[in-house]
Amino acid sequence: MNAVDRLSVLKTYKLYVGGKFPRSESGRVYEVTDTEGGWLANAPLASRKDARDAVVAARKAFGGWSGATAYNRGQILYRVAEMLQGRREQFAAEVAAAEGLSAAEAAAQVDAAVDRWVWYAGWSDKVAQIAGSANPVAGPYFNLSSPEPTGVVAVLAPQESSFLGLVSVLAPVIVTGNTAVVAASERAPLPALSLAEVLATSDLPGGVVNLLSGRTAELAAPLAAHQDVNALDLAGADAALAKELETAAADNLKRVLRPRAADWTADPGTERLLAFLETKTVWHPMGV
């Protein structure tokens, strides 16, 4: 058969939950188009049950991931960057189609995402130094504060930056020992769903990251109200949805990182590293 007569093999995009690639339990899909309305693919339209399943998977993975050494977590994030670098052309093409960027602009976004994984990997065994302290107290005690991960974090990925923005909100959540349930950009979910393939083959334990695609509001509502979700990152929510989700999150005192305008190409700083950490303080008698 002549090469020009071959039918291309269309990619079937799936969710990523518990280290596996299920279709939505509802069987629903929705059309994903480029910035000019051209069809790109059918993405799974995740349901509320998919969101609940993702929370179960994230909670199951939390003990092992939070108990891993900071050095090991850093190694795994570096491995993600390494594998992403090897698929640079694929991701550049997907980002270009998703966001209407030129080839050079899309490649720059992918390069920045690779660098972002490396940057956060380097923080894995250092964040305790800036978030912890030895506290001066009046009495014969050692008083030490150290950071611990919050738990399961629901992340609404940025809508306008389908890949670099996603990496910028996901990497700091997991490098500090949390597990994540991520709602990908509703309009442009394909780079996120492809990232799942990298995560699945990069030594990241199943369930540490769970990726859902679909209607942001439909997925966010059960996540915000879920009693086993400990924190929310509302980067991808508009003002009206954010207010609704904050109200739902108050039922079990979730930590909430509110949406704000962001330049995802800028130096990320440490804000997101520290946003989903709790401080544990230990008193110990001197001389014992």
Side-chain angles (χ1 to χ4, degrees):
M1 179 183 292
N2 190 302
V4 297
D5 296 329
R6 288 192 68 249
L7 294 175
S8 59
V9 179
L10 298 178
K11 184 171 182 176
T12 301
Y13 289 89
K14 297 182 181 180
L15 308 176
Y16 182 54
V17 177
K20 299 179 181 179
F21 292 89
R23 293 178 169 84
S24 171
E25 59 85 26
S26 67
R28 301 178 304 169
V29 298
Y30 72 107
E31 288 189 358
V32 178
T33 60
D34 60 25
T35 54
E36 297 181 352
W39 182 85
L40 292 174
N42 289 333
L45 187 59
S47 67
R48 289 170 176 259
K49 184 178 185 303
D50 292 318
R52 293 194 297 269
D53 289 345
V55 173
V56 171
R59 177 58 62 191
K60 184 177 180 181
F62 176 70
W65 183 243
S66 61
T69 65
Y71 177 72
N72 180 238
R73 290 198 297 267
Q75 283 184 309
I76 291 173
L77 262 69
Y78 187 86
R79 177 63 173 161
V80 173
E82 181 183 313
M83 298 189 68
L84 185 57
Q85 180 69 44
R87 297 174 63 170
R88 179 177 181 268
E89 291 186 5
Q90 173 201 339
F91 280 94
E94 288 195 346
V95 171
E99 301 181 20
L101 303 177
S102 68
E105 290 170 332
Q109 292 278 303
V110 175
D111 289 343
V114 172
D115 293 345
R116 191 71 30 100
W117 282 111
V118 173
W119 193 85
Y120 279 115
W123 270 106
S124 63
D125 57 357
K126 302 173 183 67
V127 66
Q129 308 306 312
I130 64 169
S133 63
N135 308 311
V137 295
Y141 303 99
F142 294 111
N143 184 269
L144 305 173
S145 295
S146 60
E148 292 188 341
T150 296
V152 175
V153 181
V155 178
L156 306 187
Q159 299 295 333
E160 74 289 351
S161 181
S162 63
F163 192 60
L164 178 57
L166 167 68
V167 171
S168 298
V169 297
L170 174 59
V173 168
I174 64 172
V175 74
T176 49
N178 298 292
T179 54
V181 177
V182 182
S185 167
E186 180 176 333
R187 184 189 63 79
L190 303 187
L193 297 178
S194 289
L195 177 64
E197 299 168 5
V198 172
L199 299 177
T201 52
S202 62
D203 303 325
L204 187 74
V208 172
V209 175
N210 304 275
L211 280 160
L212 307 173
S213 59
R215 308 303 181 202
T216 299
E218 181 181 356
L219 295 173
L223 292 173
H226 202 298
Q227 297 295 297
D228 206 24
V229 171
N230 303 108
L232 298 175
D233 185 338
L234 303 181
D238 59 30
L241 179 59
K243 183 177 180 179
E244 175 186 330
L245 299 176
E246 284 189 73
T247 301
D251 281 348
N252 72 329
L253 302 177
K254 292 179 177 64
R255 282 177 173 262
V256 177
L257 187 60
R258 295 174 175 85
R260 66 198 72 180
D263 176 5
W264 300 111
T265 63
D267 184 334
T270 59
E271 178 187 13
R272 290 184 179 277
L273 273 172
L274 304 177
F276 303 115
L277 289 173
E278 308 290 341
T279 300
K280 179 180 71 176
T281 299
V282 177
W283 295 70
H284 193 284
M286 291 182 179
V288 177

